[in-house]
């Protein structure tokens, strides 16, 4: 038996007027998903409990069967593990976004124009983060570069008691002053954010980006704090040899901490320009090399939701269907039996431009025992009457179905 999970990050949505009051799932042309849906179990699952923030960290842990109430220690430690940081028990890590701020004189008067600085390239970002590390790093704080706009700050002997640190993708277009971390323990963090603007605003990388009509990555923004993570090995938990395929450090970190084989795909970016074909071929190779379970995470729908890119979100689902699902399904036919789970981790409604903890649709197909399915949309999943209230049970349900 081979097990494929195709995780379309942020795929679920609300009806969109510009799409004829359909969701991107309902409006997209996805023949491979549609074909599976007619023979699949379709339902709803709540991956994020009401008492937790609806982030991809909590949601993907849940999908993989790790109860976030037990295993979640923060977002950034998972990313730190992927970057290769060996955190001490006394360390606290923070996600460090490279963002675009407006040009008002005082930092608190600036507006977050873009949480990802036009999806800055990893190469440009690395140069900026290393520059910040040379100027701001010390025995207490150290910066590490990651992928695109996603980076990491380690606070040696730090504390989690820092008040509220808001994800920048939740406050795009809003003034900084409403979200300044005002806890006394966060003073040093905010000071670094302020200093980072002065260091980055005239950096040659940003001057070059502006000359090319791109937004500058002119400030760091800290959030997602946490302590060192620890997960039960996936093989021990399910008796399956698993592989993780993703562009983003968060998912790579979850894969690393759960003992999965983390696959590097050249050109994987986490947006519409990612190497969709490369992810499909990587999955096919992992199965051929003896892996039982492959988790393909695709970030693009989520990024489009955050950016209010209606057509791109719809298009991202069509590309996933064509360039990832189609080829992998064709390759899986050589095996005696296989199962497929397709779902988002959470919803990222275009109208809100951020995540919600709404129940989300899932599809489970088993080659040897097709069933009478339905429509793989938000409404179709709700109409099925199948609802998994505790999201971390979805993996056990999938494997044992």
């Amino acid at each position: 038996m081979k097990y494929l999970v195709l995780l379309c990050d942020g795929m679920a949505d609300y009806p969109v007027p510009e799409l004829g009051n359909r969701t991107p799932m309902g409006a997209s042309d996805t023949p491979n998903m549609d074909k599976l849906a007619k023979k699949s179990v379709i339902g709803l699952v709540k991956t994020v409990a009401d008492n937790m923030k609806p982030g991809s960290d909590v949601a993907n842990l849940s999908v993989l069967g790790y109860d976030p109430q037990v295993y979640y220690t923060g977002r950034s430690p998972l990313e730190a593990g992927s970057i290769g940081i060996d955190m001490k028990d006394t360390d606290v890590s923070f996600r460090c976004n490279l963002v675009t701020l407006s040009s008002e004189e005082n930092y608190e008067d600036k507006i977050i124009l873009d949480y990802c600085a036009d999806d800055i390239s990893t190469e440009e970002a690395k140069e900026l983060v290393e520059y910040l590390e040379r100027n701001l790093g010390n025995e207490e704080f150290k910066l590490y570069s990651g992928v695109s706009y996603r980076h990491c700050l380690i606070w040696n002997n730090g504390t989690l008691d820092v008040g509220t640190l808001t994800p920048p993708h939740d406050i795009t277009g809003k003034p900084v002053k409403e979200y300044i971390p005002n806890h006394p323990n966060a003073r040093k963090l905010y000071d670094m954010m302020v200093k980072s603007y002065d260091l980055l605003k005239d950096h040659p990388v940003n001057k070059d980006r502006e000359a090319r009509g791109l937004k500058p990555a002119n400030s760091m923004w800290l959030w997602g704090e946490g302590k060192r993570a620890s997960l039960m090995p996936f093989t021990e938990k399910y008796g399956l040899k698993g592989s993780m395929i993703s562009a983003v450090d968060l998912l790579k970190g979850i894969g690393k901490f759960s003992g999965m084989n983390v696959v590097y795909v050249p050109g994987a970016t986490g947006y519409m320009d990612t190497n969709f074909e490369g992810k499909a071929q990587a999955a096919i190779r992992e199965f051929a090399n003896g892996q039982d379970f492959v988790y393909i995470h695709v970030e693009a729908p989520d990024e489009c939701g955050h950016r209010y890119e209606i057509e791109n979100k719809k298009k991202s689902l069509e590309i996933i269907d064509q360039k990832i699902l189609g080829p992998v399904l064709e390759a899986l036919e050589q095996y005696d039996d296989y199962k497929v789970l397709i779902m988002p981790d959470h919803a990222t409604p275009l109208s809100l431009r951020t995540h919600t903890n709404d129940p989300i649709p899932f599809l489970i197909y088993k080659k040897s025992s097709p069933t009478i399915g339905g429509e793989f949309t938000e409404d179709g999943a709700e109409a099925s009457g199948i609802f998994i209230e505790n999201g971390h049970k979805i993996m056990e349900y999938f494997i044992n179905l």
Side-chain angles (χ1 to χ4, degrees):
M1 176 68 74
K2 299 293 186 181
Y3 301 84
L4 170 69
V5 177
L6 179 55
L7 196 292
C8 306
D9 200 304
M11 172 169 63
D13 213 305
Y14 301 152
V16 181
E18 291 86 344
L19 296 176
N21 285 321
R22 295 172 296 173
T23 65
M25 288 184 70
S28 57
D29 181 16
T30 51
N32 292 301
M33 291 187 199
D34 294 345
K35 184 178 178 179
L36 289 184
K38 293 175 182 177
K39 302 177 181 180
S40 296
V41 174
I42 294 172
L44 288 175
V45 56
K46 189 169 176 61
T47 54
V48 182
D50 289 335
N51 68 334
M52 302 196 80
K53 294 179 180 179
S56 292
D57 42 13
V58 170
N60 279 278
L61 283 173
S62 192
V63 173
L64 278 161
Y66 295 96
D67 184 353
Q69 309 279 7
V70 176
Y71 288 99
Y72 183 64
T73 62
R75 179 189 188 105
S76 185
L78 297 167
E79 298 176 327
S82 171
I83 291 172
I85 304 167
D86 186 15
M87 289 180 64
K88 304 188 299 292
D89 290 337
T90 54
D91 286 342
V92 174
S93 65
F94 298 81
R95 158 68 85 84
C96 173
N97 273 49
L98 289 180
V99 303
T100 304
L101 299 183
S102 57
S103 58
E104 287 78 7
E105 183 176 353
N106 296 319
Y107 194 89
E108 62 268 22
D109 294 328
K110 299 181 188 299
I111 293 171
I112 296 184
L113 300 178
D114 193 342
Y115 68 92
C116 65
D118 264 342
D119 206 47
I120 185 171
S121 73
T122 298
E123 294 72 25
E124 290 172 308
K126 185 174 188 291
E127 186 172 342
L128 295 179
V129 172
E130 289 178 349
Y131 178 68
L132 289 176
E133 165 60 20
R134 290 195 298 272
N135 285 273
L136 299 177
N138 51 44
E139 291 185 0
E140 188 174 12
F141 295 102
K142 185 169 181 61
L143 282 157
Y144 296 84
S145 62
V147 175
S148 184
Y149 61 88
R150 314 167 186 93
H151 309 282
C152 184
L153 174 76
I154 297 293
W155 186 357
N156 182 26
N157 292 316
T159 177
L160 291 172
D161 184 19
V162 293
T164 301
L165 303 179
T166 306
H169 54 255
D170 284 354
I171 53 177
T172 301
K174 298 182 179 180
V176 167
K177 67 176 125 187
E178 297 177 24
Y179 303 96
I180 291 173
N182 53 21
H183 194 286
N185 292 338
R187 187 71 231 177
K188 291 180 180 179
L189 302 176
Y190 181 62
D191 286 347
M192 277 193 287
M193 290 161 63
V194 174
K195 289 176 182 176
S196 74
Y197 180 84
D198 293 331
L199 288 166
L200 293 179
K201 62 183 175 65
D202 294 321
H203 191 281
V205 166
N206 281 325
K207 289 299 184 184
D208 179 67
R209 288 179 61 77
E210 290 176 309
R212 290 182 286 133
L214 299 173
K215 296 186 183 77
N218 57 20
S219 182
M220 59 192 281
W221 189 272
L222 301 172
W223 62 288
E225 67 278 8
K227 302 281 279 187
R228 181 185 174 94
S230 178
L231 299 176
M232 177 188 296
F234 187 82
T235 300
E236 182 180 323
K237 191 171 177 64
Y238 296 111
L240 301 173
K241 294 182 291 183
S243 296
M244 173 64 71
I245 299 172
S246 177
V248 299
D249 284 319
L250 171 61
L251 272 295
K252 292 176 183 176
I254 291 175
K256 177 180 177 180
F257 283 116
S258 62
M260 300 173 77
N261 183 38
V262 179
V263 182
Y264 171 73
V265 177
T269 65
Y271 185 50
M272 293 290 289
D273 59 349
T274 197
N275 185 358
F276 293 96
E277 297 93 337
K279 288 188 174 184
Q281 293 307 311
I284 292 167
R285 284 195 301 272
E286 290 301 293
F287 283 128
N289 290 337
Q291 296 297 90
D292 308 303
F293 176 99
V294 176
Y295 194 97
I296 307 176
H297 170 264
V298 190
E299 178 82 356
D302 182 64
E303 293 288 336
C304 296
H306 287 307
R307 302 178 193 205
Y308 195 66
E309 295 177 356
I310 298 172
E311 283 301 318
N312 270 349
K313 186 167 186 182
K314 172 178 168 288
K315 183 180 178 183
S316 72
L317 303 184
E318 296 172 343
I319 297 173
I320 290 168
D321 186 85
Q322 176 191 354
K323 295 187 176 182
I324 296 181
L325 183 58
V328 178
L329 285 177
E330 184 177 349
L332 283 171
E333 282 298 323
Q334 68 184 286
Y335 301 106
D336 292 337
D337 206 358
Y338 65 87
K339 293 182 184 178
V340 178
L341 168 61
I342 305 176
M343 61 183 292
D345 48 352
H346 52 67
T348 308
L350 287 153
S351 59
L352 301 179
R353 299 180 64 160
T354 190
H355 307 158
T356 72
N357 58 5
D358 297 320
I360 52 173
F362 70 85
L363 171 160
I364 296 177
Y365 171 79
K366 184 178 180 181
K367 176 184 176 182
S368 61
S369 58
T371 186
I372 298 175
E375 184 181 71
F376 185 43
T377 61
E378 296 85 352
D379 286 345
E382 184 176 6
S384 74
I386 297 173
F387 177 55
I388 299 175
E389 184 174 4
N390 296 313
H392 65 279
K393 298 291 187 181
I394 183 71
M395 186 54 58
E396 185 178 326
Y397 182 79
F398 169 52
I399 290 172
N400 295 329
L401 189 68

